[in-house]
Amino acid sequence: FLKWKKKNDKNNLNIPIQEIEKMKHKSQRMTPCPDSFFMRVKCGKCSTISTIFSHSQTNVQCEKCQNLLCKTTGGKAKLTEGSSYKL
């Protein structure tokens, strides 16, 4: 289990461990930041690159070959087999 560093430590300055920050809700972190992002997805069939939102609410198809790139899951979009992404 992850614990906070000792308050007595002079080099600490009461900074939490980075792993604890990752587990917190996005609005409770020291520096609030969103969990979503845009990603560049490469189609497995025709190698066309498309920009997709990580939490898209619709299924996304390739513009050229109509191949399914990602499916909706209610949260983060799930990439289909053959497609790869880059931030």
Side-chain angles (χ1 to χ4, degrees), residues 11-63:
N11 298 331
N12 183 9
L13 299 176
N14 296 329
I15 299 174
I17 299 175
Q18 203 168 27
E19 288 83 19
I20 293 175
E21 284 294 308
K22 289 180 183 178
M23 291 189 306
K24 289 183 181 179
H25 187 267
K26 62 184 176 184
S27 64
Q28 300 298 321
R29 295 181 191 143
M30 288 181 77
T31 308
C33 58
D35 292 330
S36 56
F37 51 92
F38 287 95
M39 53 187 174
R40 300 178 73 196
V41 178
K42 184 177 181 181
C43 179
K45 288 185 178 179
C46 65
S47 299
T48 304
I49 297 176
S50 304
T51 304
I52 298 175
F53 188 59
S54 65
H55 290 72
S56 64
Q57 296 181 351
T58 58
N59 293 336
V60 180
Q61 294 181 341
C62 178
E63 295 174 4

